[in-house]
Structures are given as C-alpha cells and as structure tokens.
C-alpha cells in the first residue's frame, strides 16, 4: 500500500539530511519524524524549519524521507521513529491499533480513474484491464466510481500493481485504465497525451473524504504526552502559516524536496488545507470523526478490516485541541 510520492532522486534524501542528523543539546529533545516527499508530506516541516518553530518547544527535528505510509508505521513500531505522515490508503493501520493519529493534515483530491483515449466513461471499462495499487485511495476511488456506474471490480479485469508499474503499464498501453493519483498522473499525461480522466476523489466529496494525517508511535502518546503536545504545537503553527502563505509554503517545500516549485504547486493544488482553528472546530463538531469513520467503512467494505477501531480510540482529539 504505497502512497503518492515525488520522484526526486537523491536530492530528497540530501535535503532531509540537511534538516536531520543533528544531536540535541541538553535542554533540547530530538524528534524523529518520517515523511513522504510531496507537498502534503513535507510542507509543514519545511515551514517549521524556516520559521523557527522547533526551537521554542526545545525540539530538534530529525527528518527521514519514506516512499509510503506503511513503511513509516513499521518504523514507528520498531521504535526508530516518533512521528510519521500517512495518506488515506494507510489509515487502516491506526484503525487497527498500530499507531495513533495526532493531527489531520489535509483532505486529498489527487486520486483519479484514468483511461486510454477512446474510453469515454466508467461504463466503458467493463471487461477492460485496470491497474491499481491495492488498498490505496486510488483503489478506493476506482471502487466508488465503478459503484456509481452500476459496476463492481468483478466487472473489470483488475490488475494489482505498485504505483510505478501503473505508470509504466499505462504509458505502454498494457492496461486500459488505472486508479492512481497526482503527481504520477502528470508523468502519465506526458507519455499519453490523449489520456482521459473518468472520475476523481472530488466527485465523492464530502460524502467520502480522503484525509492525510500525522501519526505517532502508541508509546509516545501514552508515555510522553508533553513531548507529543510540543510536536502538535509546532504542526499547528506551521498549518496556520501554510493556510495564509501558500506561495511561500510551496517555495519552502520545493527547497526541502529538491523539486521544482512548478511541480510542487501542481501537487499542492490537489488537496484542501486548513487552519488550526478550522481543524479544532472540525474535531469538536464531529467532522473529523465522520471523515475517519467513512474511511473505516471503506476499509471494511474492501475487506481490509473486519472490525476497525472507532476514531475516538485512535485519533487523539483531546491532545490536538489542547496542544
């Protein structure tokens, strides 16, 4: 279950090392953070570093780049990370008790069902070869779009493949369609100019919302509540900066990722971002609970989870509100 990533080469790792790898002073604590090399995954940390949000909390960030959420959950479980970032497709892991969600980051709209030129609608996919990374939000949008068209995955020839294979297979016309996301679709478009977008995550919003989230190792939340609160305070400041200064946030994230500002801007356009006040309000009024419950329902319907935990058991709402 991989999640969207930039193909940024060694520059991502280099940028991450420029932020991480420093030893904390006696009055500071190192916070080990995993992220994915895209705007959703990296922007808050690029902002926090530039704006000096870590120092007042006595934290020194040690950033480590990952290609997907589940790998970060593994690292959290092994004790080599304190916090991580996951996309919607990996939310089944906190829902199964593997980690805690400490903050919602955004609502993603990057997922699409795409098809080769000549395929005009979801109904036209019946019997066609459709590539999809299993269990991701691309998979979810594919299933929702098929359902809307009166079809199921049994009506197509579903081929499970990792995201990079989807790009290669679609570009070489080995598959007829795919459930995949931006920025990878941008790469595909260059190879297949007549590609069609048949459906997207925005088509199902707000009934189905695809949140991205910051997560914490279970033991960090239970045994280090103040450490967790410090981290969340940094996130909140960075969220407010991002909500008010998107162009600057794109510039800072571009530097962190080693990716052109143009590409980062295109990536950022595929999500909805919130201020701290908005997210606190959404937490209090049950909106976040609805988002996470909706994901649980999807995971259950896809056979990923039998009995997911209710959001109150894996989203640390009280800590986020008070942090």
């Amino acid at each position: 279950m991989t999640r969207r990533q930039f193909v940024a080469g060694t520059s991502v790792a280099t940028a991450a090392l420029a932020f991480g790898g420093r030893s904390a002073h006696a009055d500071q604590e190192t916070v080990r953070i995993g992220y994915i090399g895209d705007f959703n995954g990296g922007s808050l940390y690029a902002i926090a570093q530039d704006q000096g949000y870590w120092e007042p909390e006595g934290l020194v960030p040690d950033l480590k780049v990952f290609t997907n959420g589940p790998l970060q959950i593994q690292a959290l479980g092994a004790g080599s990370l304190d916090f991580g970032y996951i996309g919607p497709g990996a939310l089944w892991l906190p829902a199964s008790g593997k980690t805690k969600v400490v903050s919602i980051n955004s609502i993603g709209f990057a997922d699409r069902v795409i098809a080769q030129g000549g395929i005009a609608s979801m109904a036209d996919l019946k019997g066609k070869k459709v590539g999809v990374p299993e269990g991701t939000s691309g998979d979810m949008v594919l299933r929702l779009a098929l359902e809307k068209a009166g079809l199921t995955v049994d009506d197509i020839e579903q081929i499970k493949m990792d995201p990079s294979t989807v790009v290669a297979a679609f570009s070489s016309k080995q598959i007829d369609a795919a459930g995949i996301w931006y920025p990878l679709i941008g790469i595909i478009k260059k190879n297949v100019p007549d590609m069609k977008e048949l459906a997207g995550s925005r088509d199902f919003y707000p009934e189905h919302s695809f949140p991205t989230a910051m997560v914490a190792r279970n033991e960090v939340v239970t045994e280090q509540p103040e450490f967790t609160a410090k981290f969340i305070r940094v996130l909140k400041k960075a969220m407010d900066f991002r909500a008010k200064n998107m162009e600057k946030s794109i510039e800072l994230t571009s530097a962190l990722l080693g990716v052109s500002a143009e590409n980062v801007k295109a990536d950022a356009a595929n999500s909805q971002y919130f201020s701290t006040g908005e997210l606190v309000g959404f937490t209090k009024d049950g909106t976040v609970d609805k988002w996470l419950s909706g994901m649980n329902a999807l995971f259950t319907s896809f056979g990923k989870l039998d009995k997911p935990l209710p959001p109150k058991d894996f989203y640390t709402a009280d800590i986020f509100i008070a942090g």
Side-chain angles (χ1 to χ4, degrees), residues 12-22 30-38 41-42 45 54 60-69 71-72 75-76 79-85 256-257:
V12 173
T14 303
L17 287 172
F19 281 14
R22 295 171 294 181
T30 296
V31 54
R32 301 167 302 168
I33 305 164
Y35 74 103
I36 293 174
D38 61 12
Y45 305 124
W54 299 107
V60 177
D62 179 9
L63 298 181
K64 304 175 190 298
V65 68
F66 288 77
T67 57
N68 61 59
L71 285 176
Q72 292 175 71
L76 288 165
S80 56
L81 283 182
D82 301 309
F83 301 96
Y85 160 82
L256 168 65
L257 302 179

Side-chain angles (χ1 to χ4, degrees), residues 1-321:
M1 281 178 49
T2 52
R3 207 36 215 141
R4 56 184 65 92
Q5 67 189 85
F6 265 107
V7 183
T10 56
S11 57
V12 173
T14 303
L17 287 172
F19 281 14
R22 295 171 294 181
S23 53
H25 298 297
D27 58 342
Q28 294 178 316
E29 295 178 276
T30 296
V31 54
R32 301 167 302 168
I33 305 164
Y35 74 103
I36 293 174
D38 61 12
F39 186 79
N40 265 313
S43 56
L44 295 183
Y45 305 124
I47 292 164
Q49 186 72 12
D50 181 75
Q51 295 295 304
Y53 293 154
W54 299 107
E55 290 84 351
E57 298 294 347
L59 298 177
V60 177
D62 179 9
L63 298 181
K64 304 175 190 298
V65 68
F66 288 77
T67 57
N68 61 59
L71 285 176
Q72 292 175 71
I73 305 298
Q74 289 179 21
L76 288 165
S80 56
L81 283 182
D82 301 309
F83 301 96
Y85 160 82
I86 59 175
L91 277 167
W92 69 275
L93 289 156
S96 61
K98 302 285 187 187
T99 186
K100 301 286 189 192
V101 170
V102 295
S103 173
I104 298 299
N105 177 49
S106 68
I107 293 294
F109 296 116
D111 302 279
R112 304 286 191 278
V113 178
I114 60 172
Q116 303 286 352
I119 297 176
S121 69
M122 290 300 300
D124 293 340
L125 292 186
K126 191 167 185 177
K128 296 288 197 297
K129 295 179 179 178
V130 183
V132 63
E134 184 182 16
T136 63
S137 49
D139 186 3
M140 294 174 189
V141 166
L142 172 63
R143 290 169 184 261
L144 289 170
L146 286 169
E147 182 182 6
K148 189 176 180 180
L151 303 173
T152 72
V153 289
D154 293 331
D155 293 309
I156 62 174
E157 187 180 341
Q158 185 182 26
I159 304 172
K160 299 167 185 176
M161 49 181 65
D162 64 47
S164 60
T165 306
V166 169
V167 173
F170 193 99
S171 298
S172 60
K173 302 191 186 302
Q174 295 177 45
I175 54 177
D176 302 299
I180 196 67
W181 50 79
Y182 281 93
L184 296 179
I185 294 172
I187 299 170
I188 292 171
K189 274 185 176 178
K190 292 178 181 177
N191 299 328
V192 188
D194 63 343
M195 179 207 87
K196 300 284 176 57
E197 293 187 9
L198 303 182
S201 41
R202 206 178 282 273
D203 299 339
F204 306 100
Y205 179 81
E207 182 181 355
H208 294 286
S209 301
F210 297 92
T212 70
M214 304 306 184
V215 294
R217 185 156 45 93
N218 289 330
E219 292 80 8
V220 169
V221 172
T222 56
E223 298 171 15
Q224 299 175 274
E226 181 53 30
F227 182 62
T228 303
K230 288 178 180 180
F231 175 75
I232 291 174
R233 284 196 290 268
V234 171
L235 290 185
K236 284 182 166 181
K237 289 179 183 177
M239 283 175 184
D240 285 336
F241 181 95
R242 184 175 64 185
K244 295 176 183 176
N245 306 280
M246 183 55 73
E247 288 300 320
K248 182 64 174 178
S249 300
I250 288 167
E251 175 190 324
L252 295 173
T253 308
S254 170
L256 168 65
L257 302 179
V259 175
S260 74
E262 181 184 3
N263 285 347
V264 175
K265 184 175 183 178
D267 184 37
N270 288 307
S271 293
Q272 182 174 351
Y273 304 97
F274 307 101
S275 68
T276 292
E278 287 173 316
L279 278 178
V280 167
F282 291 154
T283 297
K284 288 180 175 179
D285 70 12
T287 299
V288 173
D289 189 285
K290 182 181 177 182
W291 291 341
L292 296 175
S293 294
M295 294 301 296
N296 278 354
L298 287 175
F299 290 132
T300 302
S301 68
F302 298 166
K304 194 69 185 178
L305 289 176
D306 290 330
K307 294 181 179 178
L309 295 172
K312 67 180 179 62
D313 290 346
F314 65 85
Y315 172 46
T316 60
D318 291 347
I319 300 177
F320 182 78
I321 290 169

